[in-house]
């Protein structure tokens, strides 16, 4: 009787588990959803507007938009650049500490 119940439970949970992987409650989050780390977001950017605001997933910065260099904290005031672009910023220790080492996304081949 126990294996039949286990099989029934797995059959009922399978669609819920599949739906969870598509969108996700913790990972694979869409733009605008609350996050704590950039690894949670589909875009790869967990962004907050100020130190007091809640962080939300946001799209990465496009060419000529303000950006932050990638950091180990995983939460940004300005999102890092889209793939293929680099963030031209003044990477000083003071800028890193005060979180003001913003730059502009540029194509390195230009």
């Amino acid at each position: 009787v126990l294996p039949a119940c286990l099989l029934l439970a797995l059959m009922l949970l399978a669609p819920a588990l599949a739906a969870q992987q598509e969108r996700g409650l913790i990972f694979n989050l869409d733009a605008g959803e609350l996050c704590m780390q950039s690894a949670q977001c589909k875009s790869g950017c967990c962004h907050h507007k100020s130190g007091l605001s809640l962080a939300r997933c946001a799209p990465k910065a496009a060419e000529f938009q303000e950006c932050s260099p990638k950091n180990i904290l995983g939460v940004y005031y300005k999102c890092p650049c889209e793939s293929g672009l680099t963030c031209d910023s003044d990477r000083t220790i003071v800028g890193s500490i005060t979180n003001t080492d913003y730059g502009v996304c540029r194509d390195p081949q230009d």
Side-chain angles (χ1 to χ4, degrees):
V1 177
L2 183 61
C5 291
L6 184 59
L7 182 62
L8 180 62
L10 288 174
M11 287 175 42
L12 293 173
L13 286 175
L17 291 174
Q20 183 180 357
Q21 289 177 354
E22 289 173 12
R23 181 180 163 276
L25 296 174
I26 298 173
F27 291 101
N28 210 19
L29 301 175
D30 290 321
E33 293 189 275
L34 293 174
C35 57
M36 291 174 42
Q37 279 283 350
S38 290
Q40 295 177 276
C41 304
K42 284 181 184 177
S43 67
C45 178
C46 185
H47 168 266
H48 53 90
K49 294 180 181 173
S50 71
L52 300 176
S53 66
L54 296 173
R56 295 184 180 273
C57 294
K60 286 194 172 180
E63 192 170 12
F64 305 117
Q65 288 184 332
E66 270 193 308
C67 58
S68 290
K70 291 191 177 192
N71 65 43
I72 59 171
L73 300 176
V75 180
Y76 299 95
Y77 286 104
K78 308 284 182 191
C79 285
C81 300
E82 294 174 340
S83 182
L85 301 176
T86 58
C87 187
D88 279 346
S89 64
D90 180 20
R91 296 190 99 175
T92 62
I93 191 72
V94 174
S96 296
I97 292 170
T98 60
N99 204 18
T100 57
D101 57 345
Y102 307 132
V104 176
C105 291
R106 304 235 187 259
D107 186 343
Q109 297 180 0
D110 283 348

